[in-house]
Amino acid sequence: MAKIAMKNAVAELDGDEMTRVLWGVIKEKLLVPFVDLKVEYYDLGLKARDDSDDAVTYASAEAIKRLGVGVKCATITSNQARVEEYGLKGLTPSPNGIIRAELDGTVFRKPIIVGNIRPTVSCWKKPLVLGRHAYGDVYKNCEMSVGGPGKAELVFTAKDGTVTRKTIMEMKGPGVLQGIHNLDASIESFARACFYYGLSEKMDVWFASKDTISKTYDGRFKEIFQRVYDAEYKTRFAEAGIEYFYTLIDDVVARVMKHEGGFLWACKNYDGDVMSDMVASASGSLAMMTSVLVSPDGIFEYEAAHGTVQRHYYKYLKGEKTSTNPVALIFAWTGALAKRAELDGTADLADFARRLERATLDTIESGVMTGDLAQIADPPAREILDSWQFIDRIAARL
Ligand code: NAP
Ligand code: MG
């Protein structure tokens, strides 16, 4: 069989631990036999990031921007234990944080739905997509611990030297302080990315913050969303028969639990961090959740929503064939290849991506799955396989 050709390359970002192991198997069994893969490869394994002082991470972000499409394996965000485990020079920043900042993107997370895995929230009938602003707030904070009483102030020095100050608190004793920020430009990109996504997927867009309490900070988010919507999307949304809805974050949380899904939930950075894990877990499994980072200028980076599955990796190192679920990693690849095909106008590559997704879902729906899904499948699994056997079955079906 002649392999499917690719016109342009995608940036491939390899990662760590169990996901790195599966990444290799997926390429070997599901991609290379069918597609003449064109990639620019970057090793984002922890040691390689540390050795290059993160030069490789910045180079990979540059490649995603240049090529327009990237696919990323899960990576370790280092902590002290990892410094010892890998013999690192020091703590390295989160590679996802670096790439998100470079692309100024919004992360969209969407559950992968199969008929025999039901969400734990029984009213969810359609995928609930979560859009997470990936810039600023507590992820780019400045914190301070203070040892005793004193006056805490917020000070802004404008370019022309004008100083604005406000008292945060007359501290009566020791405590902690935190400064956070966001930028109008980034909030606008976030709003645009969400409305654009809603329109392209024909989904209502819900956005929530806490503007009743945070009148200036969260109030700005609310204002900008409304302004971008009124100026650029209101008419197009009406034509598409979809709506934009703003409410308070606690109100959305309550409504989501009673709703059938099928809308985009736009979240500020922290809300998105927390709520995406809730949505993933309640949708069935963390391993059935895709994640795509979309920049305002239309650059796409696809990945799995889960981490490197460290616990499974240690079993693998002891020689065990683990039953780690590779579905979100497979969908990261199909997402990237389908986007590449769309940009390049290569119909056979688009068709391949679609068939690989179908083969994966059909395998699960036939009752053949990994252990994580077997715990929640209804009807129960017919066969529970390790990752290698499961990937082989998908390959056979493909
Ligand atoms: P994790 O890798 O997401 O795994 C947490 C647990 O979720 C696993 O122990 C496993 O549960 C279950 N799980 C996740 N993915 C699974 C899969 N594909 N198949 C089956 N079960 C799955 O999170 P972690 O172990 O807390 O973090 C490990 C490393 O990942 C950390 O170093 C962290 O920095 C990194 N991380 C990276 C990213 C990213 O690159 N995007 C995101 C998050 C975390 P059981 O053990 O119960 O089977
Ligand atoms: Mg999280």
Side-chain angles (χ1 to χ4, degrees):
M1 192 178 84
K3 286 194 192 181
I4 296 160
M6 288 176 68
K7 217 182 245 177
N8 291 295
V10 300
E12 176 191 353
L13 284 55
D14 209 345
D16 288 300
E17 300 194 310
M18 204 60 222
T19 44
R20 186 182 181 104
V21 175
L22 295 180
W23 195 258
V25 183
I26 290 167
K27 283 180 70 177
E28 185 202 329
K29 303 272 185 173
L30 299 177
L31 301 175
V32 170
F34 305 97
V35 180
D36 199 1
L37 269 191
K38 238 181 167 176
V39 297
E40 258 187 45
Y41 179 88
Y42 295 86
D43 184 358
L44 262 62
L46 181 55
K47 194 79 180 79
R49 281 181 274 135
D50 183 67
D51 285 345
S52 72
D53 296 316
D54 264 321
V56 65
T57 315
Y58 284 96
S60 71
E62 185 279 323
I64 299 171
K65 286 197 257 185
R66 180 164 38 78
L67 299 170
V69 185
V71 58
K72 181 181 170 292
C73 184
T75 46
I76 294 169
T77 299
S78 63
N79 56 23
Q80 205 46 48
R82 300 299 202 163
V83 172
E84 280 141 40
E85 182 181 356
Y86 284 81
L88 304 179
K89 290 186 264 182
L91 287 176
T92 49
S94 154
N96 291 317
I98 292 176
I99 295 166
R100 281 174 202 153
E102 288 294 302
L103 268 67
D104 183 20
T106 300
V107 177
F108 294 98
R109 291 203 164 156
K110 183 178 182 180
I112 301 162
I113 306 265
V114 282
N116 47 346
I117 308 293
R118 302 206 205 305
T120 34
V121 178
S122 54
C123 58
W124 291 358
K125 303 280 185 259
K126 303 178 194 163
L128 185 60
V129 182
L130 208 129
R132 173 182 171 189
H133 187 206
Y135 179 84
D137 300 352
V138 73
Y139 302 87
K140 231 178 164 62
N141 66 358
C142 173
E143 301 188 317
M144 194 191 281
S145 162
V146 293
K151 181 159 125 181
E153 289 179 288
L154 202 55
V155 181
F156 177 71
T157 312
K159 260 261 167 83
D160 68 3
T162 318
V163 173
T164 315
R165 44 185 357 123
K166 279 188 161 189
T167 302
I168 299 170
M169 191 69 198
E170 297 282 356
M171 308 274 288
K172 293 198 166 61
V176 282
L177 293 165
Q178 169 170 249
I180 59 170
H181 85 286
N182 225 298
L183 296 170
D184 287 1
S186 178
I187 303 169
E188 276 178 32
S189 313
F190 169 43
R192 250 180 222 114
C194 291
F195 291 133
Y196 179 80
Y197 187 98
L199 198 59
S200 56
E201 301 274 321
K202 299 242 178 317
M203 280 184 163
D204 288 348
V205 175
W206 293 20
F207 176 56
S209 72
K210 195 72 185 177
D211 67 292
T212 43
I213 302 297
S214 170
K215 291 183 168 49
T216 304
Y217 197 104
D218 281 18
R220 182 66 63 87
F221 277 78
K222 179 183 177 184
E223 254 169 60
I224 290 178
F225 261 73
Q226 197 62 50
R227 172 156 50 76
V228 171
Y229 179 69
D230 289 343
E232 301 169 29
Y233 285 93
K234 200 172 184 172
T235 321
R236 286 192 273 169
F237 266 47
E239 283 163 10
I242 53 174
E243 286 179 351
Y244 167 57
F245 174 55
Y246 176 86
T247 185
L248 289 172
I249 183 71
D250 28 357
D251 184 36
V252 172
V253 169
R255 283 168 187 261
V256 155
M257 292 299 160
K258 301 230 151 84
H259 200 279
E260 64 167 12
F263 61 92
L264 170 68
W265 181 5
C267 287
K268 288 178 63 202
N269 210 347
Y270 174 82
D271 297 338
D273 183 351
V274 177
M275 291 305 165
S276 61
D277 284 10
M278 190 272 284
V279 171
S281 152
S283 296
S285 163
L286 206 57
M288 296 292 280
M289 187 76 144
T290 60
S291 184
V292 55
L293 174 68
V294 183
S295 84
D297 36 353
I299 287 155
F300 293 76
E301 184 224 33
Y302 295 82
E303 61 177 324
H306 59 78
T308 60
V309 212
Q310 181 180 12
R311 206 179 64 83
H312 294 209
Y313 181 61
Y314 292 155
K315 285 190 177 175
Y316 166 81
L317 289 181
K318 286 190 200 140
E320 196 177 311
K321 291 244 165 174
T322 63
S323 187
T324 317
N325 186 337
V327 171
L329 293 170
I330 295 172
F331 273 63
W333 273 102
T334 54
L337 294 179
K339 179 54 72 178
R340 183 75 279 165
E342 181 193 321
L343 297 175
D344 295 350
T346 44
D348 48 352
L349 185 62
D351 189 48
F352 170 77
R354 207 180 44 73
R355 281 168 192 265
L356 176 50
E357 289 185 355
R358 200 60 259 165
T360 305
L361 301 179
D362 286 349
T363 302
I364 299 171
E365 287 182 339
S366 77
V368 174
M369 60 193 80
T370 47
D372 58 319
L373 296 184
Q375 288 173 16
I376 50 173
D378 175 24
R382 283 194 301 112
E383 291 180 70
I384 306 169
L385 303 181
D386 68 43
S387 310
W388 290 259
Q389 296 166 328
F390 179 64
I391 290 170
D392 278 339
R393 294 291 276 273
I394 297 171
R397 196 174 271 271
L398 182 62

